[in-house]
Amino acid sequence: MLIELKSKDLLCLVKGALYSTLGICILYLIVTNQYKLYVSPRYELFLLLAGIATLCMGILTIAWAPPKQYKHIWKSIIPILLPIVLLVVPPILVPNTIQVQGVGAVTEDRNDFNFSQDDISEVITINNAAKEPGISKSKKEIVLNSDNYYQTIITMGSHPEEYIGYKLYMTGYVNRDDNTLKANEFTVSRMAMSCCIADVAPIGMTMHKDNGDTISNDEWVTIEGSVSTRNFHGRQQPYIEVQKIKNAEPVLGYVYP
């Protein structure tokens, strides 16, 4: 087998090895669920087929390599090598921010809205298991988690007046990138991915809390608030009056449409 490979063209063998490596990298990302750092979950099947096809291409390129040649254009391997480097060394491609920590890390949203152990004037205990995800009109309650986060915010933004007075519970990081924010206002956000890593952007809701300016930027918090509205460039926008707040563990990974 080794003698047979030695008689084949070196450039084709290198290309075959690189194609095979790229296919294995793609399949590894799917198996470990780390592909969600690069593309939306709805592309999982396409990515799986691409990984299998790339691996097969590598094997066939090696198997069908022509006899040894002595003139090679080595720069032709760059288009194959570049994605391998980007996938094998994730910090090059994955945003190195507090909102998405760790390489390939995705953690579950614990939805810990229990404020009973915190030093807050009004002590409440919330039974998470009994909560309906998203918007519950019967309870006048909105609970955001990783699964419904994007859709719930979009729904609220479409008809914010319908949810005035609802209790809202959510976890996210404090974001003050919006230059229209006033004193003691901040945004609680998560990083959203619509298609792929190229379109990652924060999505959240504007909050107000007495002494809100004392909350550190990029700090992860869980809040309980009351939904109201504000006028934002001529249209109504959800506006949350924060009633209770506590520190939270970062929820790693993205939210998706």
Side-chain angles (χ1 to χ4, degrees):
M1 180 65 178
L2 184 59
I3 296 176
E4 183 180 346
L5 289 177
K6 285 184 177 180
S7 66
K8 292 179 179 290
D9 180 58
L10 179 60
L11 179 58
C12 287
L13 294 178
V14 171
K15 283 186 175 180
L18 290 176
Y19 277 126
S20 299
T21 301
L22 180 57
I24 292 171
C25 286
I26 294 172
L27 295 175
Y28 174 81
L29 290 176
I30 295 175
V31 171
T32 60
N33 224 28
Q34 294 184 37
Y35 77 95
K36 292 179 181 178
L37 288 178
Y38 301 96
V39 298
S40 173
R42 63 175 177 269
Y43 297 113
E44 181 179 6
L45 178 58
F46 173 80
L47 200 62
L48 175 62
L49 295 176
I52 294 173
T54 305
L55 178 58
C56 291
M57 184 185 300
I59 295 172
L60 292 176
T61 299
I62 294 173
W64 293 348
K68 183 182 294 185
Q69 300 178 18
Y70 296 94
K71 186 176 181 180
H72 300 108
I73 304 176
W74 287 102
K75 65 181 180 181
S76 63
I77 70 171
I78 294 177
I80 317 171
L81 187 61
L82 185 58
I84 294 176
V85 173
L86 293 175
L87 294 175
V88 171
V89 191
I92 296 177
L93 192 58
V94 177
N96 184 23
T97 67
I98 194 169
Q99 296 86 18
V100 185
Q101 298 179 6
V103 177
V106 177
T107 61
E108 294 297 327
D109 185 347
R110 297 180 181 178
N111 265 347
D112 183 11
F113 302 120
N114 184 348
F115 290 88
S116 60
Q117 301 303 316
D118 295 278
D119 185 17
I120 299 175
S121 58
E122 181 184 352
V123 177
I124 61 169
T125 301
I126 298 175
N127 183 358
N128 294 333
K131 283 186 172 295
E132 299 175 20
I135 300 171
S136 172
K137 292 188 176 181
S138 61
K139 297 181 181 180
K140 291 191 177 299
E141 185 176 80
I142 301 171
V143 182
L144 277 72
N145 58 33
S146 294
D147 293 331
N148 65 41
Y149 187 97
Y150 189 100
Q151 292 84 352
T152 301
I153 288 182
I154 296 301
T155 299
M156 291 179 65
S158 300
H159 303 283
E161 67 282 351
E162 294 183 9
Y163 308 106
I164 294 176
Y166 277 50
K167 287 287 187 182
L168 180 135
Y169 303 90
M170 68 181 295
T171 296
Y173 70 95
V174 176
N175 178 6
R176 292 189 174 89
D177 291 341
D178 184 352
N179 56 17
T180 67
L181 294 174
K182 300 177 182 178
N184 294 319
E185 290 183 346
F186 55 94
T187 301
V188 174
S189 302
R190 294 277 304 273
M191 297 298 285
M193 178 191 289
S194 178
C195 174
C196 64
I197 196 169
D199 61 31
V200 170
I203 180 173
M205 286 187 286
T206 303
M207 312 269 165
H208 173 268
K209 184 183 185 300
D210 293 339
N211 300 320
D213 288 342
T214 62
I215 304 172
S216 301
N217 209 36
D218 292 330
E219 181 178 350
W220 278 81
V221 294
T222 293
I223 67 99
E224 175 197 329
S226 177
V227 180
S228 60
T229 61
R230 70 166 181 170
N231 186 289
F232 186 74
H233 296 296
R235 60 177 297 179
Q236 293 300 302
Q237 180 189 69
Y239 189 74
I240 312 302
E241 294 287 350
V242 177
Q243 298 167 333
K244 298 178 175 64
I245 188 168
K246 67 176 181 178
N247 293 333
E249 289 296 321
V251 183
L252 308 185
Y254 303 111
V255 294
Y256 309 93

